[in-house]
Amino acid sequence: MGDLVVGIGVRDGMDPDVVLAAISEVIDDPDELYALATLERKATESSIAVAAAELGVPVLGFTAAELEAVEVPSPSGRVQAAVGTPSVAEAAAVLGSGGGDLLVPKRARNGVTVAVARNVW
């Protein structure tokens, strides 16, 4: 098991293959992956759950309030209006890593936003 956490924001009903493709764009080796992290209500979203199962890692879910408390370089007013926090991918990556630094700031493509942080534990 690796030490990288990928924070993920997705639109409802996203195809798991699109999620896996987005992850592969920011993680060179799946063995480096520790977990996926996202908004609590998205943690059971089928696309994220399927991607995590395929990669053999857990999904960590955080409330909008927990995510909102994390200072991120790329907050979004649109995300704030939609889900109650200005960041999902970046904030979830930081929280899921125990407060690690962002290695990859958010990247959005095809309805999936990903960011990467390294575990501090």
Side-chain angles (χ1 to χ4, degrees), residues 18-115:
V18 176
V19 173
L20 286 165
I23 294 167
S24 71
E25 289 181 12
V26 293
I27 299 287
D28 293 326
D29 180 357
D31 289 337
E32 294 180 292
L33 193 58
Y34 173 76
L36 303 183
T38 192
L39 185 64
E40 187 175 55
R41 68 181 178 85
K42 294 285 189 168
T44 57
E45 167 75 28
S46 64
S47 61
I48 294 174
V50 169
E54 178 82 17
L55 295 165
V57 297
V59 179
L60 309 174
F62 300 97
T63 66
E66 289 172 313
L67 295 172
E68 188 173 30
V70 178
E71 190 171 322
V72 296
S74 309
S76 168
R78 191 184 78 205
V79 172
Q80 173 74 47
V83 297
T85 176
S87 172
V88 174
E90 289 179 332
V94 169
L95 285 175
S97 68
D101 293 330
L102 279 176
L103 301 177
V104 179
K106 75 177 182 181
R107 294 184 184 179
R109 190 168 191 207
N110 299 324
V112 179
T113 302
V114 293

